[in-house]
């Protein structure tokens, strides 16, 4: 549900899909967007929007922006990502770890990252340095026992301050290449780093989970290593986030060692790990995915705007089942935008040699260590959890490692709340994540109570999968609608048009089909295992005592 670059464009009417781009150009004027925003949000956007547009990054590509009728912020972003892709290939070939030192690789990656940030965001990119500098000061001067907590508060607090300023002072509801987007990724990296340092320097191995042991950091990073990790050119604009240990292994050239091949068999290790695998095929495949996603998005986004689902004429004249289908299609047309941004970011990292994750069973290399999504698993998800597990994967891992595994009081609600705070301050975000809590609880209840009845045969399983797929797509679309509409008024208007039906259904399911929390189930399983071991030990002791008694009697 992460929106690094939200496209809050207004609804436009189009006559045919073949003329979408021309019509978008005709109707994409600032005046029409303002009129539409005034109609939806009930007020006219701030005049500071124009100031933001003039101050956000370079205007070197303004002529191209006018030709293709796209905001210069978007053009800058795409141009910088394509430049980063070329630099990634150069970085991998000419600054290979075998040819240069980690120091040089850190310096070049950091300087290129700062250049891209300045080109895209202008002086707003100074926020990246301020946020990183404040957090590093906390890491250095605060005590290790509470350093991770202070760092979490400072980093997330600064992000929230910038988001409040951008939304309520500058351009509420209007598109811009949001400078807080990169700050969201930097926030993930800084907070993850703080917790990993805390785990490595203050806890014993017995207190850590296997994943925490792998991620734990046993020394404080230098300032250069810290800035390179946060602001390298591969992930400064769109991420994805990654662990510090994985990034350092990439810089030092140890990321191809067998630690990534824990599940590979001996034949694969012996045959394929001798030479460094090439990311060429994966990069080409991901770039093709980007091209297809962008083409689909540009073709459909104007034809199926989400805002149309709350239009009074549409709601009053369209049967409810057609409203459901329209909402699903509108969300389906919106997702390729994220597929494009995240897949391109993944391709950039892979082109630089970062992202290797061992080998497949057929011996082909895997380059999905920091992949952010699995498109087919998203589109064919048969459960709410399956959708979330394959959407914005690195953010989900961050939430799990920083919040879910460490929060002792209602970790699910705390995780959804942190996700809403991290995304921003639009009210629609909080409505989405509050609804997500109810959806998750209802989905768990159905899975634990209803699913076993459909496992008796393959035909029943197929029926169950079809039903759950349709339910998941409708539930996701219903939940995410406020995330796209942003404001309270349009979001509540949407839910009213649906009579809050899925909210009420989730409430009934949770009350009728109670389910134990995952932690309680795990604890009961652990207790059951311990009881079983104790029973076995008791039986063994009793058997031993009986044998001894028989020997005594025989004697």
């Amino acid at each position: 549900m992460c929106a690094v670059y939200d496209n809050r464009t207004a609804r436009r009417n189009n006559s045919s899909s073949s003329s979408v781009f021309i019509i978008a150009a005709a109707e994409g004027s600032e005046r029409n967007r303002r009129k539409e925003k005034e109609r939806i949000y009930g007020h006219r956007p701030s005049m500071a929007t124009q100031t933001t547009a003039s101050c956000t990054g370079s205007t070197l590509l303004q002529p191209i922006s006018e030709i293709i009728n796209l905001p210069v912020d978007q053009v800058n972003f795409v141009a910088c990502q394509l430049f980063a892709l070329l630099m990634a290939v150069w970085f991998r070939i000419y600054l290979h770890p075998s040819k240069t030192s980690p120091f040089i690789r850190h310096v070049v990656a950091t300087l290129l990252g700062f250049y891209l940030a300045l080109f895209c965001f202008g002086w707003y990119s100074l926020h990246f340095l301020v946020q990183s500098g404040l957090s590093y000061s906390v890491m250095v001067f605060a005590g290790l026992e509470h350093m991770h907590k202070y760092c979490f508060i400072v980093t997330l607090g600064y992000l929230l301050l910038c988001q409040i300023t951008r939304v309520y002072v500058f351009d509420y509801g209007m598109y811009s290449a949001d400078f807080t987007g990169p700050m969201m990724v930097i926030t993930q990296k800084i907070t993850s780093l703080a917790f990993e340092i805390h785990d490595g320097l203050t806890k014993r191995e017995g207190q850590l989970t296997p994943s925490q042991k792998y991620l734990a950091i046993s020394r404080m990073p230098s300032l250069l290593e810290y800035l390179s990790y946060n602001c390298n050119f591969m992930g400064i604009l769109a991420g994805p986030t990654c662990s510090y240990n994985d990034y350092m292994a990439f810089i030092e050239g140890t990321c191809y060692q067998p630690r990534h091949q824990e599940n590979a068999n001996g034949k694969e290790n012996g045959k394929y790990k001798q030479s460094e695998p090439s990311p060429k095929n994966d990069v080409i495949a991901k770039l093709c995915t980007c091209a297809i996603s962008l083409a689909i998005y540009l073709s459909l986004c104007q034809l199926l705007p989400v805002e149309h689902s709350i239009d009074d004429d549409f709601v009053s004249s369209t049967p409810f089942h057609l409203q459901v289908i329209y909402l699903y299609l509108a969300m389906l047309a919106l997702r390729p935008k994220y597929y494009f941004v995240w897949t391109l970011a993944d391709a950039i990292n892979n082109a630089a040699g970062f992202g290797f994750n061992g080998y497949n069973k057929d011996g082909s290399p895997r380059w999905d260590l920091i992949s952010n999504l699995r498109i087919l698993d998203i589109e064919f998800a048969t459960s709410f959890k399956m959708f979330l597990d394959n959407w914005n994967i690195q953010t989900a891992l961050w939430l799990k490692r920083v919040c879910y595994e460490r929060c002792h009081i209602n970790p699910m609600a705390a995780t959804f709340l942190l996700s809403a705070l991290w995304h921003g301050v639009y009210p629609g975000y909080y409505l989405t994540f509050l609804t997500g809590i109810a959806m998750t609880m209802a989905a768990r209840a159905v899975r634990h109570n209803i699913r076993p009845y459909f496992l008796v045969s393959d035909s029943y399983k197929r029926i169950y999968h079809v039903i759950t797929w349709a339910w998941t797509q409708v539930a996701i679309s219903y939940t995410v609608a406020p995330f796209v509409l942003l404001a309270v008024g349009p979001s509540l208007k949407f839910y009213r048009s649906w009579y809050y039906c899925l909210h009420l259904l989730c409430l009934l399911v949770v009350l009728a089909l109670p389910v134990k929390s995952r932690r309680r189930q795990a604890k009961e399983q652990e207790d059951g295992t311990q009881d079983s071991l104790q029973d076995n030990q008791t039986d063994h002791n009793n058997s031993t005592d009986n044998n001894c008694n028989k020997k005594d009697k025989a004697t």
Side-chain angles (χ1 to χ4, degrees), residues 134-443:
L134 289 174
S135 301
Y136 191 74
S137 300
V138 173
M139 291 182 186
V140 172
F141 296 109
L144 289 174
E145 189 64 29
H146 301 288
M147 172 267 294
H148 58 301
K149 299 177 183 178
Y150 298 149
C151 194
F152 180 86
I153 294 171
V154 169
T155 306
L156 187 62
Y158 191 83
L159 173 65
L160 284 172
L161 179 63
C162 291
Q163 288 173 332
I164 291 171
T165 303
R166 186 189 71 83
V167 171
Y168 293 105
V169 176
F170 291 107
D171 57 347
Y172 189 99
M174 298 296 291
Y175 180 88
S176 67
D178 179 7
F179 73 94
T180 61
M183 291 181 66
M184 293 164 69
V185 180
I186 293 174
T187 298
Q188 290 182 341
K189 291 182 176 181
I190 293 174
T191 53
S192 297
L193 180 63
F195 278 93
E196 290 161 7
I197 292 174
H198 174 75
D199 290 342
L201 296 180
T202 65
K203 291 185 178 181
R204 298 186 298 272
E205 285 194 3
Q207 298 175 290
L208 304 175
T209 64
S211 63
Q212 289 172 350
K213 289 179 185 178
Y214 170 75
L215 298 172
I217 300 171
S218 57
R219 69 172 182 86
M220 183 69 69
S222 68
L223 181 60
L224 176 61
E225 292 169 340
Y226 174 79
L227 291 176
S228 175
Y229 172 59
N230 287 334
C231 303
N232 63 81
F233 73 97
M234 302 170 295
I236 184 67
L237 298 183
T241 190
C242 60
S243 75
Y244 178 80
N245 284 340
D246 286 335
Y247 180 75
M248 289 301 296
F250 156 72
I251 289 293
E252 295 169 0
T254 60
C255 57
Y256 305 109
Q257 292 181 358
R259 66 188 182 88
H260 286 295
Q261 295 135 21
E262 297 173 357
N263 297 325
N265 58 44
K267 178 180 177 182
E268 291 161 0
N269 282 338
K271 183 176 180 181
Y272 295 101
K273 75 174 184 180
Q274 301 300 326
S275 60
E276 181 179 314
S278 172
K280 181 179 69 174
N281 293 336
D282 289 78
V283 170
I284 292 174
K286 290 174 181 178
L287 291 179
C288 291
T289 301
C290 289
I292 295 172
S293 300
L294 184 61
I296 294 174
Y297 175 70
L298 292 178
S299 300
L300 297 180
C301 68
Q302 308 296 342
L303 293 175
L304 299 166
V306 178
E307 290 84 0
H308 187 61
S309 62
I310 60 172
D311 183 79
D312 293 332
D313 295 335
F314 174 79
V315 173
S316 60
S317 61
T318 307
F320 183 73
H321 68 280
L322 293 182
Q323 294 184 40
V324 174
I325 294 174
Y326 178 84
L327 181 66
Y328 165 69
L329 293 176
M331 292 299 176
L332 185 66
L334 188 64
R335 286 197 287 269
K337 174 178 62 176
Y338 303 103
Y339 297 163
F340 168 76
V341 171
W342 289 334
T343 305
L344 180 57
D346 195 19
I348 292 169
N349 282 273
N350 292 166
F354 187 28
F356 177 69
N357 196 24
Y359 294 91
N360 295 309
K361 292 182 179 180
D362 61 357
S364 60
R366 293 172 53 194
W367 289 89
D368 60 353
L369 179 65
I370 54 174
S371 295
N372 231 356
L373 49 81
R374 302 182 187 96
I375 296 176
L376 293 180
D377 290 336
I378 290 170
E379 298 300 340
F380 295 101
T382 56
S383 69
F384 203 83
K385 181 181 183 299
M386 182 178 177
F387 188 100
L388 297 182
D389 286 345
N390 293 286
W391 174 269
N392 204 355
I393 297 170
Q394 301 306 318
T395 294
L397 289 174
W398 171 70
L399 291 169
K400 176 185 176 183
R401 293 166 180 168
V402 171
C403 184
Y404 190 84
E405 292 181 345
R406 302 175 189 268
C407 182
H408 303 291
I409 301 175
N410 203 341
M412 184 181 68
T415 302
F416 273 102
L417 177 61
L418 173 59
S419 183
L421 289 171
W422 174 78
H423 275 91
V425 292
Y426 287 110
Y429 294 167
Y430 296 86
L431 290 175
T432 287
F433 289 108
L434 288 175
T435 305
I437 295 175
M439 292 290 180
T440 302
M441 294 175 64

Side-chain angles (χ1 to χ4, degrees), residues 522-547:
K523 185 177 180 180
E524 289 182 355
Q525 290 177 358
E526 183 180 352
D527 294 340
T529 303
Q530 292 178 353
D531 292 341
S532 177
L533 292 174
Q534 291 176 358
D535 292 340
N536 292 336
Q537 185 64 31
T538 302
D539 293 340
H540 175 72
N541 292 337
N542 292 336
S543 177
T544 304
D545 293 341
N546 291 335
N547 291 335

